[in-house]
Amino acid sequence: MTVETTALDTSRWTPPAGWPAMSRRQCREILTAPGQRFEMEEVEIRGVRLRTWKNAPPSLRAIALAGRTHGDSEFVVYEDERVTFDGWFRAVATLAHHLQELGVRKGDRVALAMRNLPEWPVAFFAATSIGAIIVPLNAWWTSAELTYGLSDSGAKVLICDDERWERIAPHAGELPGLERALVSRAATPLSPPASALEDLIGTPPDYTSLPPRELPDVSILPDDDATIFYTSGTTGMPKGALGTHRNITTNVLSGAYAVACAALRRGEVPPEPVKKTGLVVIPLFHVTACSASLMGSVVAGNRAVYMYRWDPEKAFAIIEREKVNATGGVPTIAWQLLDHPARDRFDLSSIESIAYGGAPAAPELVRRIHAEFGALPSNGYGMTETMATVTSHSSEDYLNRPDSCGHPVAVVDIKITGEDGETELPPGEVGEIWVRGPQVVKGYWNKPEETAECFIEGWVRTGDLGRMDEEGFLFIVDRAKDMIIRGGENIYSCEVENVLYDHPAVSDAALVGLPHPTLGEEPAAVVYLAPGKTASEAELQAWVGERLARFKVPVRIGFSPETLPRNANGKILKGELQHLLDGATEKATTGEVRPPSSG
């Protein structure tokens, strides 16, 4: 089917004369030519021949060695702690040897459960540099969920912070395969199987005093197992996506390719790499932060600033103090940076880019980032099963197509399929998005049936609905399970949510389906209003009705007193919104629908 789309107001950005200087196809031909940095080659991976980056690092071990070359440059800043690349590598090598002394061998699982701390990238690279499979666990998980992840992965060693160990320790007896736990920043004495991580590598400010060591001598191939990232599904038990070294190292060049392509599109020579400072505000256990961001940062020698907990005003202070060049994470964070009343009190002129992924973004967000920050917006599409980046969207291309999630990176193939899962649909037609490329993971850990269902001859079925235009730009329409069917008419959540986001008072929005005895279901919305803004249910319904077909107008609108609940990857937990709609129903019957005064 062909999706109906709302005509976007692009009057706020007018392409400069001569843009684009060349087509995407011409960019690709230039950048991937033989001998160039982004040259590609075909490699057979699990029986399927795929395009790969010829010059991508062959393993995470190779990325660690590249990071060491940045020496005394700062790598991580966390509150008053500063760690250089040299100090980080000393800690990585020291911990890698200790893990081997604990009996960790190639293929063993090492779990990592902690908030964004300087110890996180140390543990990650120490384990993967000796061929172990790192298992980054969601630090937001409860005791039961963390125990599930440890049990499901069969982790032999756990590296965690004190808060996570407090949750896990009562269940240690349920984990016979867990032999040791190395705990950082423990506030109380530890007892077996736990011991202090600091006893092995010291504290982050002291890493530079560790003796210099080489990494243990372990042979690692690009398609060896490297990671198990758990999916962020909003229902059911998470599945462990088993990734290889090639999967995660592919992103090093995928990100750089997007930068080079943007330069060619504006008629410029791709810039030489320059070290930047990024404010990392999304968890490193998410593939966006780890795969799409951390990998390239280590190779490039960029500096990363971590926060204890997200707070917009504290973020402003950090941006000003550390001269941060890039930040973002998920669209919610970008909205809060724009709408926070304290923004004008800080010097944010160092910001060059605000990037995000993990969830759809409204076109209005793209326009406002450019208009109010003077920064270039950046977005992308991917999932845990694709180790993050499938498409990249930035700079003028994003301003020109603010409702798209971008163009596939050069080593990626995308197809839109019909309901039969076989028919490939033409441009403009909506269907399920299938992805193929060297970054697609091997499958789900110990789940052969689910693997066979989702991974087919090199392709992964994403479960997302989308369409592609004639130039190959991808447009996400909805999650297949989130699409609302009202009396046989399809309603795509993203389309209605984007219209709500365009309202000047709306800062957060979600569309859900409500059961209906004859129509099957009807659309309803929950919104969060920006601080100091007001709007009524009737006003927002009229706003949508003026821009979309009447059957797409939410029959109910609930107002949330805070930003909508999300999982760690930025996806709205729509199942938790029902109580807000129930409240809206009660108030609507008395004609007293009112948004919270605080927004």
Side-chain angles (χ1 to χ4, degrees), residues 412-433:
V412 170
D413 293 320
I414 293 178
K415 65 179 180 179
I416 308 297
T417 63
E419 294 182 4
D420 60 6
E422 297 180 1
T423 305
E424 185 170 352
L425 301 178
E429 295 288 307
V430 172
E432 184 180 5
I433 302 167

Side-chain angles (χ1 to χ4, degrees), residues 241-271:
L242 176 62
T244 66
H245 287 263
R246 188 193 305 275
N247 290 156
I248 195 166
T249 62
T250 291
N251 274 308
V252 172
L253 288 183
S254 294
Y257 177 86
V259 174
C261 191
L264 290 180
R265 294 274 279 174
R266 68 173 71 99
E268 300 174 356
V269 175

Side-chain angles (χ1 to χ4, degrees), residues 22 119 176 184 274 576:
M22 61 181 67
E119 296 94 318
S184 72
V274 177
E576 298 183 10

